[in-house]
C-alpha cells in the first residue's frame, strides 16, 4: 500500500533523509520512531506530496507521489505536526470546507462530517471557533480533517503530541479502529506508543533507517528472553547453588536482597525454557517462590542502543543491514 524506495532529501548541505526504504502493507499500522531531527517529518512530507525528494521513489495506494501527485493525494489523509486549521472558522465550517476541497460529494458531506466528528469526539465543539480550541481539540480536529474523505492511507505526524493521558488513550484507540480500513504511518518519540499501537516499527536516526521489525522481535532480537529473574525465600539455604544445578542453567547471579527475600538473575542456554524446573526446585526445597519472570530488554534500551553512536550492539548492525536491503522481514 505504501512503498518507499531509496528516498533521500537534502536541504543544501544537510541530508535530512538518507536512502530510506520500507513498505507498509494494507491495513497495517507502521510506527515511525526516532529522536528529534531524525527525518520523520521530512519523510512524511515527501509521502504526502508536500515536498519533493532529492532522490528515490514513493508509491502510495498504487500511485507515484511525484508522477501522479493528484491521484496519490486523493487517497491520503495527512495530520501534519501543526494541524492546518483556519482560525476564523468554526470547527463545523472548517470540516465542511475541507470536505469540499477534498472532493466529498455534496450529498454525502453533512453525514460524513457528522461521522468524523463523532469518531474524533469533537461534536461538542462544532460551533467553537478554531482559534479558540485547546491544543488537544486542535489535534482531534486535525485528525478529523485527515480522515474526512475516507482515504486509503493515513499519515499522522505525532498524533498524540500535546494530548492529556485520557485523550492519548482515546486517540490510540481511534487509530487502532481506523487500521484495517486504512493503512497508517504514525510518527512518535513515545516508545510505549509503538508497542501499544503498531504492528511494525521503523526506527530512524539521523536520516538513516536503523531497524525495521515488530516491537516484539526488536525486543527479543537484541538480547532479550535469555535471562530469568527469580526471587526466593530460602531461609539461609544456598539457593544459588541449587538453581545452578538445574539442567539448562548456565549461571546464577545474586542481584538483590531485601529481608529474607533474595533475587537472582538466572542465565540459561539459548532456546531452553527452565521455568518449570526452576519453580519445582524452589518448591520441593520448601522455599518460598516470590517472583519468576523473564528479563527482557525494553524498547527504551533498544532505541537508545540503536540511536546512540558507538554503543550499538553488533546485533543492531545486522538489523540495519536487513533494513537497508529493503527486504522487510515478517510480512
Ligand atoms: N526546511 C528545512 N531546511 C533545512 N533543514 C531542515 C528543514 N526541515 C528540516 N530540516 C532538517 O532536517 C532534519 C530532519 O528534520 P525533521 O523535521 O524531518 O525531523 P523529525 O524526525 O521530524 O524531528 P522531530 O522529532 O523534532 O519532529 C533536521 O536536521 C532538520 O534540522
Ligand atoms: Mg517532526
Amino acid at each position: 500500500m505504501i512503498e518507499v524506495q531509496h528516498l533521500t532529501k537534502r536541504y543544501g548541505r544537510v541530508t535530512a533523509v538518507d536512502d530510506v526504504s520500507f513498505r507498509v502493507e494494507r491495513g497495517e499500522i507502521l510506527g515511525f520512531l526516532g529522536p528529534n531531527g531524525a527525518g520523520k517529518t521530512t519523510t512524511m512530507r515527501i509521502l504526502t506530496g508536500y515536498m519533493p525528494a532529492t532522490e528515490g521513489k514513493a508509491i502510495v495506494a498504487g500511485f507515484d507521489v511525484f508522477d501522479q501527485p493528484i491521484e496519490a493525494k486523493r487517497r491520503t489523509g495527512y495530520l501534519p505536526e501543526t494541524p492546518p486549521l483556519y482560525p476564523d472558522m468554526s470547527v463545523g465550517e472548517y470540516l465542511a470546507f475541507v470536505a469540499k476541497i477534498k472532493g466529498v460529494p455534496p450529498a454525502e458531506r453533512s453525514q460524513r462530517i457528522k461521522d468524523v466528528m463523532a469518531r474524533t469526539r469533537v461534536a461538542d465543539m462544532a460551533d467553537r471557533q478554531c482559534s479558540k480550541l485547546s491544543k488537544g481539540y486542535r489535534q482531534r480536529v486535525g485528525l478529523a480533517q485527515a480522515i474526512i474523505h475516507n482515504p486509503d492511507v493515513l499519515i499522522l505526524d505525532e498524533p498524540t503530541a500535546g494530548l492529556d493521558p485520557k485523550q492519548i488513550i482515546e486517540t490510540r484507540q481511534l487509530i487502532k479502529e481506523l487500521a484495517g480500513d486504512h493503512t497508517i504511518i504514525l510518527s512518535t518519540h513515545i516508545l510505549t506508543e509503538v508497542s501499544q499501537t503498531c504492528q511494525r516499527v521503523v526506527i530512524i536516526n539521523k536520516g538513516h533507517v536503523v531497524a525495521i521489525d515488530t516491537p516484539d522481535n526488536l525486543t527479543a532480537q537484541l538480547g532479550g528472553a535469555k535471562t530469568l529473574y527469580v526471587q526466593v525465600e530460602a531461609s539461609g539455604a544456598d539457593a544459588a547453588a541449587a538453581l545452578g544445578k538445574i539442567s539448562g542453567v548456565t549461571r546464577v547471579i545474586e542481584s538483590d536482597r531485601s529481608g529474607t527475600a533474595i533475587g537472582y538473575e538466572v542465565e540459561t542456554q539459548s532456546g531452553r525454557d527452565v521455568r518449570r524446573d526452576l519453580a519445582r526446585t524452589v518448591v520441593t526445597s520448601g522455599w518460598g517462590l516470590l517472583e519468576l519472570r523473564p528479563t527482557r530488554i525494553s524498547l527504551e534500551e533498544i532505541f537508545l542502543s540503536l540511536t546512540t553512536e558507538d554503543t550499538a550492539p553488533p546485533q543492531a548492525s545486522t538489523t540495519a543491514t536487513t533494513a537497508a536491503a529493503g527486504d522487510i522481514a515478517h510480512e
Side-chain angles (χ1 to χ4, degrees):
M1 186 46 78
I2 301 173
E3 190 155 355
V4 173
Q5 296 169 356
H6 306 291
L7 215 60
T8 296
K9 175 72 188 179
R10 291 188 203 97
Y11 294 109
R13 293 172 62 186
V14 178
T15 304
V17 172
D18 196 356
D19 197 20
V20 164
S21 300
F22 60 87
R23 285 169 57 132
V24 195
E25 301 303 323
R26 181 183 289 274
E28 195 179 25
I29 310 181
L30 179 93
F32 212 48
L33 190 68
N36 289 134
K40 304 181 294 294
T41 297
T42 303
T43 307
M44 291 183 146
R45 283 188 165 157
I46 295 170
L47 284 180
T48 50
Y50 276 75
M51 200 166 60
T54 312
E55 282 164 35
K57 197 173 160 126
I59 294 166
V60 170
F63 296 95
D64 187 309
V65 298
F66 312 118
D67 298 340
Q68 299 153 296
I70 294 168
E71 293 298 329
K73 268 192 183 167
R74 191 170 289 159
R75 286 160 183 82
T76 309
Y78 178 35
L79 172 66
E81 269 179 329
T82 314
L85 307 186
Y86 284 88
D88 296 338
M89 289 184 188
S90 71
V91 169
E93 286 165 351
Y94 169 67
L95 291 176
F97 169 73
V98 178
K100 190 174 165 192
I101 57 171
K102 295 222 176 156
V104 178
E108 293 169 25
R109 270 178 219 160
S110 69
Q111 188 55 46
R112 192 69 206 145
I113 292 164
K114 251 172 113 175
D115 288 349
V116 296
M117 287 210 277
R119 278 197 112 162
T120 55
R121 298 176 184 88
V122 296
D124 50 338
M125 293 287 159
D127 298 325
R128 185 73 55 96
Q129 214 176 309
C130 288
S131 62
K132 301 207 168 111
L133 292 174
S134 69
K135 163 82 181 152
Y137 270 97
R138 252 180 282 156
Q139 198 75 355
R140 293 192 207 191
V141 176
L143 202 53
Q145 66 77 33
I147 62 176
I148 199 141
H149 56 309
N150 198 22
D152 294 331
V153 169
L154 280 174
I155 308 231
L156 311 175
D157 201 349
E158 303 198 32
T160 58
L163 301 185
D164 69 35
K166 185 165 169 277
Q167 289 174 331
I168 288 178
I169 294 167
E170 285 177 5
T171 304
R172 281 183 192 152
Q173 193 51 43
L174 172 65
I175 291 169
K176 279 193 193 162
E177 285 167 24
L178 291 169
D181 290 342
H182 305 76
T183 304
I184 302 177
I185 300 187
L186 65 89
S187 74
T188 179
H189 318 103
I190 307 167
L191 291 142
T192 48
E193 188 141 291
V194 291
S195 42
Q196 285 172 11
T197 321
C198 307
Q199 283 109 8
R200 279 194 310 134
V201 192
V202 170
I203 299 182
I204 180 170
N205 187 39
K206 295 185 178 160
H208 294 274
V209 172
V210 290
I212 304 180
D213 217 324
T214 62
D216 278 352
N217 277 339
L218 281 172
T219 318
Q221 219 175 64
L222 298 176
K226 287 191 216 103
T227 313
L228 297 168
Y229 174 81
V230 58
Q231 196 184 39
V232 298
E233 229 165 15
S235 54
D238 190 355
L243 298 177
K245 286 188 193 131
I246 297 168
S247 161
V249 170
T250 49
R251 198 150 74 122
V252 180
I253 306 158
E254 185 179 316
S255 71
D256 61 276
R257 219 174 243 265
S258 66
T260 52
I262 308 176
Y264 299 99
E265 299 283 346
V266 178
E267 281 179 21
T268 62
Q269 283 167 5
S270 155
R272 291 287 297 267
D273 187 354
V274 302
R275 285 175 298 177
R276 285 167 202 81
D277 292 342
L278 218 143
R280 198 175 302 121
T281 303
V282 173
V283 173
T284 54
S285 304
W287 306 330
L289 179 60
L290 304 178
E291 197 173 343
L292 173 58
R293 60 176 161 84
T295 58
R296 315 181 81 196
I297 61 169
S298 68
L299 216 48
E300 260 87 359
E301 290 169 276
I302 295 164
F303 184 69
L304 285 175
S305 75
L306 289 173
T307 57
T308 309
E309 272 175 315
D310 305 327
T311 56
Q315 291 95 324
S317 58
T318 319
T319 313
T321 315
T322 319
D327 304 324
I328 297 149
H330 316 288
E331 276 172 15

